C-alpha cells in the first residue's frame, strides 16, 4: 500500500534520549527547556524575528485573529484547508471569499479590492502548497485600506521570498508542524510576527492571558505545546536537509515522469524558493481525475483531492458561494503520494500507471 503521506520518524534511540531527559527533569509542559530550545532553533533556521511554538496550526490562526483584535469581515481564500476558514468563524468574524489565481492557486490579489467593504478588517490568505501569495500586491492593498494581514503558512516551512523568510511578510504568519507536514513535531505549530509588542501579546494569549503572578491582561487560550512534542521537533530538526533533498528528488522524478501527462503543476512565484511539501497537479478534467484515482487504487496507491471541495461552497455553517476559478480547479486538483520514505521507483511506477490512461 502506498499512502498519500507518511510522517517522517527520527531513529527511535534519538527520540528516546530526549524523553529520558524529560523523565529526569519532570518538566512536561509550560514552555519547558525542549520547547524553548525548539523555538530558538526554528527562529535561527528560518531567520525570523520572533517565533512562538504553539499547540497546532489551527490554534496559531485563532491566536493571530485574537491578537490583532479583529472583528468584522476577513477576506480569505476558498482554496485551502478548512482551518483557514473555520478559525475565522470560530473567532466570530465573517469570511469573505475571493477567487484564486489560476496559475499560482493563491488568492487573486486583483480581485481583493472589489470585496472590501466598510466592515473589512483583514486579509487571511494561504501560501498554497508552499507557493507564496502575491505578498507585495496584498501589502499595497492592506496599507491603502488599513487592513491587517495574516498568512496561513501551514505549507510554507522554509520558503523564502526575495531572500527573506516568507513568514516575515504580513502582520502575522502561522505554520503547522502536524505529523503530515514536511517538518513536524507530531502536533504543533508556530506563529511569527515582526512586531515585538504583538509577539509579547501573543505570548500572553498562549498562556491563558496571564501576564504575571495574579495578573490577567488579555483574553487567552491554552496554546502551549508539550515537551514530548518539542522532543519530536528537535529529533526531526537535524534531518530537515535530508528530508528536503529527498523531496526535491521525488518532485523531479514526478515532473519528469508526468511531463507528457494531461495535467499542470501550479506555477511557482518568481523569486521564491521551493520547499516541496506536496506534489499537486491540476488534471485536464474531473473525469480524468476519477480514472487516475481508480487505476492507482487498484494498485494500492492512494491519492488525495486536496483541496476539495471549495470552502466557499461546501461548509454547512456558511452561505454557499460559487467562485468560478476555485470551483473549476478544486474539481481537478490532486496530490500524489509524497513523503520521505517513498521510493523513486514507486514514483516511476505511479507515473507509468497514469501515463497509460
Ligand atoms: C494543516 C493545515 C492547517 C492546520 O494545521 P494543524 O496543525 O493541523 O492544526 C491550517 N491550514 C492549512 C493550509 C493546513 O494545511
Amino acid at each position: 500500500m502506498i499512502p498519500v503521506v507518511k510522517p517522517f520518524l527520527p531513529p527511535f534511540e534519538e527520540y528516546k534520549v530526549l524523553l529520558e531527559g524529560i523523565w529526569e527533569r519532570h518538566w512536561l509542559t509550560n514552555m519547558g527547556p525542549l520547547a524553548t530550545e525548539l523555538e530558538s532553533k526554528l527562529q535561527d533556521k528560518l531567520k525570523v524575528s520572533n517565533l512562538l511554538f504553539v499547540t497546532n496550526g489551527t490554534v496559531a490562526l485563532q491566536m493571530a485573529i485574537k491578537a490583532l483584535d479583529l472583528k468584522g469581515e476577513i477576506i480569505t481564500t476558498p482554496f485551502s484547508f478548512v482551518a483557514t476558514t473555520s478559525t475565522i468563524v470560530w473567532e466570530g468574524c465573517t469570511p469573505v471569499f475571493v477567487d484564486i489565481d489560476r496559475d499560482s492557486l493563491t488568492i487573486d490579489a486583483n480581485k481583493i479590492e472589489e470585496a472590501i467593504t466598510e466592515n473589512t478588517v483583514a486579509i487571511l490568505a494561504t501560501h498554497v502548497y508552499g507557493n507564496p501569495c502575491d505578498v507585495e500586491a496584498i501589502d499595497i492593498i492592506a496599507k491603502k485600506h488599513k487592513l491587517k494581514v495574516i498568512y496561513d503558512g501551514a505549507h510554507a516551512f522554509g520558503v523564502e521570498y526575495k531572500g527573506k523568510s516568507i513568514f516575515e511578510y504580513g502582520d502575522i504568519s502561522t505554520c503547522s508542524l502536524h505529523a503530515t507536514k514536511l517538518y513536524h513535531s507530531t502536533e504543533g505549530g508556530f506563529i511569527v510576527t515582526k512586531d515585538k509588542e504583538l509577539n509579547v501579546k501573543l505570548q500572553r494569549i498562549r498562556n491563558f492571558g496571564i501576564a504575571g503572578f495574579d495578573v490577567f491582561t488579555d483574553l487567552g487560550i491554552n496554546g502551549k505545546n508539550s515537551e514530548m512534542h518539542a522532543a519530536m521537533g528537535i529529533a526531526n530538526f537535524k534531518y530537515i536537509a535530508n528530508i528536503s533533498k529527498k523531496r526535491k528528488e521525488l518532485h523531479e522524478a514526478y515532473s519528469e515522469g508526468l511531463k507528457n501527462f494531461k495535467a499542470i503543476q501550479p506555477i511557482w512565484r518568481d523569486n521564491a524558493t521551493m520547499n516541496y511539501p506536496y506534489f499537486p497537479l491540476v488534471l485536464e478534467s474531473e473525469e480524468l481525475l476519477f480514472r487516475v484515482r481508480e487505476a492507482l487504487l487498484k494498485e494500492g496507491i492512494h491519492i488525495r483531492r486536496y483541496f476539495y471541495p471549495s470552502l466557499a461552497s461546501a461548509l454547512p455553517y456558511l452561505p454557499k458561494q460559487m467562485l468560478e476559478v476555485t470551483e473549476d480547479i478544486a474539481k481537478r486538483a490532486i496530490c500524489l503520494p509524497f513523503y520521505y520514505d517513498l521510493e523513486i521507483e514507486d514514483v516511476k511506477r505511479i507515473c507509468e500507471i497514469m501515463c497509460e490512461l
Side-chain angles (χ1 to χ4, degrees), residues 52-73:
L52 297 177
F53 180 46
V54 299
T55 329
N56 56 57
T58 306
V59 164
L61 284 168
Q62 283 174 227
M63 288 172 58
I65 296 170
K66 192 69 86 192
L68 293 170
D69 209 10
L70 303 179
K71 291 180 183 76
E73 293 173 5

Side-chain angles (χ1 to χ4, degrees), residues 55-61 80-84 126-127 152-155 174-178 180-181 187-189 278 306-307:
T55 329
N56 56 57
T58 306
V59 164
L61 284 168
S80 184
F81 182 60
V82 65
T84 314
T126 302
H127 302 307
D152 181 343
H155 301 169
T174 63
C175 188
S176 167
L177 300 178
H178 183 259
T180 56
K181 306 299 204 251
E187 288 276 1
Y278 303 97
Y306 194 64
F307 306 102

Side-chain angles (χ1 to χ4, degrees), residues 76-328:
T76 191
T77 176
F79 193 67
S80 184
F81 182 60
V82 65
T84 314
T85 303
S86 65
T87 49
I88 294 174
V89 179
W90 196 267
E91 289 302 318
C93 296
T94 307
V96 172
F97 294 105
V98 165
D99 211 352
I100 57 169
D101 164 57
R102 210 170 258 292
D103 296 330
S104 68
L105 309 186
T106 57
I107 196 167
D108 188 341
N110 294 319
K111 293 182 180 155
I112 291 179
E113 278 200 291
E114 60 201 54
I116 294 175
T117 72
E118 58 187 16
N119 298 320
T120 308
V121 289
I123 299 166
L124 198 178
T126 302
H127 302 307
V128 178
Y129 311 126
N131 192 16
C133 295
D134 189 347
V135 289
E136 279 147 353
I138 291 173
D139 186 54
I140 291 169
I141 296 166
K143 287 211 168 88
K144 182 170 159 197
H145 297 272
K146 298 196 167 52
L147 306 176
K148 300 290 183 187
V149 178
I150 300 172
Y151 286 114
D152 181 343
H155 301 169
F157 187 89
V159 171
E160 289 186 358
Y161 177 68
K162 297 202 169 162
K164 193 165 95 170
S165 168
I166 193 64
F167 298 125
E168 292 276 284
Y169 293 84
D171 292 284
I172 299 182
S173 294
T174 63
C175 188
S176 167
L177 300 178
H178 183 259
T180 56
K181 306 299 204 251
L182 90 150
Y183 163 75
H184 76 90
S185 62
T186 315
E187 288 276 1
F190 61 78
I191 305 179
V192 171
T193 176
K194 296 185 296 292
D195 182 331
K196 264 204 177 108
E197 259 173 58
L198 193 54
N199 184 58
V200 173
K201 183 174 182 185
L202 282 160
Q203 261 171 7
R204 295 193 303 259
I205 288 176
R206 177 173 67 176
N207 191 31
F208 310 99
I210 298 174
F213 285 112
D214 311 325
V215 185
F216 302 101
T217 47
D218 305 83
L219 174 59
I221 196 168
N222 183 356
K224 296 175 275 96
N225 210 333
S226 82
E227 289 291 280
M228 283 74 173
H229 292 87
M232 182 62 87
I234 289 172
N236 285 342
F237 194 85
K238 70 177 201 208
Y239 295 98
I240 292 174
N242 284 6
I243 293 170
S244 303
K245 183 167 165 280
K246 177 65 182 281
R247 284 176 173 268
K248 184 165 191 275
E249 288 164 13
L250 293 169
H251 184 97
E252 281 163 4
Y254 267 128
S255 297
E256 174 62 25
L258 295 172
K259 65 179 181 222
N260 295 320
F261 189 68
K262 296 186 202 96
I264 49 166
Q265 293 181 35
I267 296 175
W268 207 262
R269 188 145 326 263
D270 284 343
N271 300 309
T273 61
M274 295 180 79
N275 66 339
Y276 313 105
Y278 303 97
F279 191 81
L281 279 180
V282 180
L283 306 187
E284 191 184 60
S285 66
E286 189 178 30
E287 184 267 334
L288 180 59
L289 184 152
F290 293 141
R291 283 197 287 134
V292 165
R293 185 166 65 179
E294 197 188 305
L296 291 174
L297 208 52
K298 253 195 226 150
E299 302 290 321
I301 301 161
H302 295 253
I303 63 157
R304 183 170 174 202
R305 300 190 81 172
Y306 194 64
F307 306 102
Y308 177 84
S310 155
L311 298 171
S313 65
L315 298 177
Y317 44 85
L318 290 176
K320 267 195 190 352
Q321 202 185 338
M322 305 300 266
L323 292 161
E324 193 189 328
V325 181
T326 304
E327 288 296 326
D328 173 42

